[in-house]
Amino acid sequence: MRLSLARRFHSKLGAPAAATRAAIASSNYSTLPSHNRGTTTPAQHHSSNLSSLLSSRKYTTYSQLPSEHQMVYEMCRKFAEEELMPNAGKWDQKHEFPTDAVDKLAELGLMGINCSSDHNGSELDALSYAIAMEEISRGCASVGVIMSAHNSLYLYPIDAFGSDDLKERYITPYTGHERDENGRLNIGCFGLSEPGNGSDAGAASTTAKDDGDEWIINGTKAWITNAHEASAAIVFATTDKSLKHKGISAFVVPMNAPGFSLGAKEDKLGIRASSTSNLIMENVRIPKSNLIGQPGEGFKIAMQTLDGGRIGVAGQALGIASASIDCAVKYALERNAFGKPIAQLQSIQNKISQMTVARDSARLLTWRAAQMKDNGEKYTREAAMAKLAASEAATMCAHQAIQILGGMGYVTEMPAERYYRDARITEIYEGTSEVQHLVIAGDVLKEYKQLY
């Protein structure tokens, strides 16, 4: 972890993290283990004699986490409780983008969480990202999706597949330290879905025509998170229709380019503090150098981007599930019926047990996928499993929270109804639950075919 980031963390954590700060201060490494897989912290040397390689790590509980991950957890949890929870309901009711909160995310290093310090990023690993996403989304799911779309869907494909020039132009100014011409924080968005296709990502009707030193892009992208606040977009467009999905390419498109416009903001069921709308491109010209990777690699880039994005959505769903459990348990302990707290009723205890088991099971799947990504292993199936389990856990926990609260769960005076509305989208975007089942089953069948 960069020392500058550590100082920012220290200033936000306060007294409860004194032990963690001491552990970090005693460390000599300059980046997190995911960028230096052959090293371990002193604490890890003492706690395990099995291996000195972080590629074998398997963390399953918060208490097992290295100090830097616990530090991320404590910082994000504190930020969520102090800055997000008190305002989330207001942002939701007003459909108000949480500008100040997103600015503070940037100050904490969370708007470039996985990017290299060469580009002003925080150099945190995927497990840190999953932990941060859960805690931020526990405070406000809208802030969680803003953070997730920016990190997972916008920054990642440029970082993983873009040229050095692209990284300098479209990552360095987008990791929370620079602003656009209107004084707004630079954030990005991801344009894959279209009005005529969602789950069928290979059927892109948006086109990019080679025109000498430029590409000319025409088409419309739909359901785009961060659309009205973003300064640049990742856009997938067909460059060779005859090759079908192998003829799709990926581009970075500045949103102030002539011919680029936005549709109306969607009036959504949940995550209403984030903007969602169409990206409309009419003869938008971009430099030839704005191509990400090589022509025809767009579909591969999209699929790999979504693998990592599903870890982020799983983290968001876990945050909603955790918030639902918090709300339900606190209410059950305080609400009296039949002469005692309803928490003493077996039917209520059954619900609390089911909610906690579902949330914790999904968290284990999410951490497994994140650790596999950090270890350089193939994690497509595991990310799909994490996203599927966590999103369904979020919906179930939010549903049961309303049942425990009864009538109070149905009114905006309590946050349970917002959790219920926010949870529903996690089973839809970045691959519906039905698509996750296809991904999981397809990988299992492929594995068995190779065995027999």
Side-chain angles (χ1 to χ4, degrees), residues 66-291:
S67 54
E68 66 269 17
H69 293 85
Q70 293 185 22
M71 187 177 179
V72 170
Y73 165 74
E74 291 176 11
M75 180 200 72
C76 293
R77 191 173 186 87
K78 183 178 177 67
F79 176 71
E81 290 177 349
E82 294 183 356
E83 303 285 346
L84 303 182
M85 289 181 184
N87 297 301
K90 176 193 71 173
W91 295 329
D92 172 78
Q93 290 178 8
K94 294 183 176 181
H95 296 232
E96 177 184 339
F97 187 82
T99 302
D100 290 344
V102 176
D103 283 348
K104 289 177 182 177
L105 285 183
E107 290 175 10
L108 294 174
L110 297 175
M111 293 299 279
I113 187 168
N114 300 133
C115 294
S116 167
S117 59
D118 293 340
H119 301 291
N120 293 330
S122 299
E123 290 194 359
L124 302 186
D125 57 9
L127 181 58
S128 296
Y129 176 51
I131 293 167
M133 276 299 302
E134 176 175 350
E135 293 309 314
I136 295 300
S137 301
R138 177 174 161 266
C140 177
S142 291
V143 175
V145 74
I146 293 164
M147 173 180 160
S148 176
H150 178 71
N151 282 290
S152 295
L153 303 183
Y154 172 76
L155 291 175
Y156 170 78
I158 305 173
D159 197 28
F161 301 97
S163 65
D164 290 341
D165 171 65
L166 267 187
K167 292 176 184 178
E168 191 59 37
R169 288 190 288 134
Y170 289 104
I171 291 182
T172 302
Y174 284 76
T175 50
H177 302 278
E178 296 186 27
R179 297 178 180 272
D180 65 16
E181 64 272 13
N182 298 315
R184 301 185 309 178
L185 185 73
N186 282 321
I187 63 174
C189 62
F190 179 82
L192 179 61
S193 295
E194 297 183 353
N197 70 74
S199 296
D200 186 6
S205 60
T206 297
T207 61
K209 179 182 176 182
D210 188 340
D211 189 47
D213 293 333
E214 296 179 313
W215 295 97
I216 304 175
I217 300 180
N218 282 280
T220 299
K221 296 296 180 178
W223 313 113
I224 310 304
T225 301
N226 293 343
H228 280 261
E229 291 73 33
S231 304
I234 305 295
V235 173
F236 295 87
T238 296
T239 48
D240 188 338
K241 192 172 182 179
S242 67
L243 297 177
K244 298 183 179 179
H245 73 278
K246 292 185 178 180
I248 296 174
S249 301
F251 304 88
V252 184
V253 182
M255 294 174 66
N256 61 358
F260 198 113
S261 62
L262 298 173
K265 292 183 181 180
E266 301 289 351
D267 187 4
K268 306 189 297 287
L269 174 71
I271 57 167
R272 296 195 298 192
S274 67
S275 68
T276 303
S277 73
N278 287 0
L279 308 181
I280 304 165
M281 290 156 285
E282 298 176 292
N283 293 321
V284 172
R285 289 180 173 270
I286 60 172
K288 210 60 169 291
S289 59
N290 278 30
L291 174 72

Side-chain angles (χ1 to χ4, degrees), residues 10 13 17-27 67 71:
H10 293 169
L13 282 170
T20 300
R21 292 200 300 269
I24 292 291
S26 66
S27 304
S67 54
M71 187 177 179

Side-chain angles (χ1 to χ4, degrees), residues 291-312:
L291 174 72
I292 303 174
Q294 299 299 316
E297 290 186 343
F299 186 79
K300 178 187 75 173
I301 291 171
M303 293 303 100
Q304 290 190 28
T305 299
L306 290 175
D307 283 346
R310 285 164 185 161
I311 294 174

